[in-house]
Structures are given as C-alpha cells and as structure tokens.
Amino acid sequence: MDGMNHQAMNHQAMPAMDHAAMSEPASGEVRKIEGNKVTLKHGPLKALGMPGMTMTFEAADPAELTGLKVGDKVHFTPRSEGGKLVAVGISKS
Ligand SMILES: [Cu+2]
C-alpha cells in the first residue's frame, strides 16, 4: 500500500517541463550553412510540434558544421532554447 502511494507521488512530482523540453533525434538535409547557422530540411518534429519543413537552426557547437556541405544528410537533435531553435549534435548520416 505504502509503496503504491510513493510511486504515485513520484509521478506527480515529475515536472511537466521535462516533457515539453524533451527533444528527439531527427534527420535532415543541409540546405545552407552560414556562420554558426545551418538551414536544414527536416521531417516532422513531434517534440516541437512541427511539420516537415526547411528552416534555419543555430548550431549548438559551430565546430559540428565543419566539413558539412549542402546536400549532406545529417542527424541532429532539435531543441528550443529561449525562443530560438538550436541543433545539437549535428553529424553526417
Ligand atoms: Cu521546422
């Protein structure tokens, strides 16, 4: 009995923000690279409630853009940070 109560409490204590901030890996195709920004054509991003589109992300680590060129297929994790969209961990597929 006690155990069940504790379980229920743990679930309630999980901040809703954890779900909102949750991001899932996505794949895309490089359309443009400019400074620390990369324009990617991506498929639907459920975590961000976004349909497939071509859009510009800021690279979390601009070094990850080194060696990428237009047309490359990449994996990345999209993240919404303070109103701007950041691509984390971009790597060639
Ligand atoms: Cu988008």
Side-chain angles (χ1 to χ4, degrees):
M1 302 301 170
D2 251 326
M4 278 179 74
N5 281 337
H6 284 294
Q7 253 188 353
M9 274 180 66
N10 284 340
H11 281 290
Q12 275 179 348
M14 263 175 68
M17 268 191 67
D18 269 7
H19 292 286
M22 206 160 56
S23 46
E24 56 184 324
S27 55
E29 190 182 309
V30 176
R31 284 299 152 99
K32 192 175 163 188
I33 297 170
E34 204 172 56
N36 66 337
K37 298 209 169 87
V38 58
T39 303
L40 298 170
K41 183 185 171 199
H42 68 73
L45 306 178
K46 283 189 216 110
L48 297 176
M50 222 180 244
M53 66 177 84
T54 298
M55 64 184 289
T56 303
F57 292 87
E58 200 169 290
D61 180 1
E64 289 172 354
L65 301 179
T66 308
L68 291 181
K69 57 184 191 320
V70 172
D72 279 346
K73 301 255 201 318
V74 294
H75 286 306
F76 67 104
T77 301
R79 204 170 279 169
S80 182
E81 278 183 16
K84 66 181 178 188
L85 286 159
V86 176
V88 183
I90 307 172
S91 65
K92 248 190 246 199
S93 296

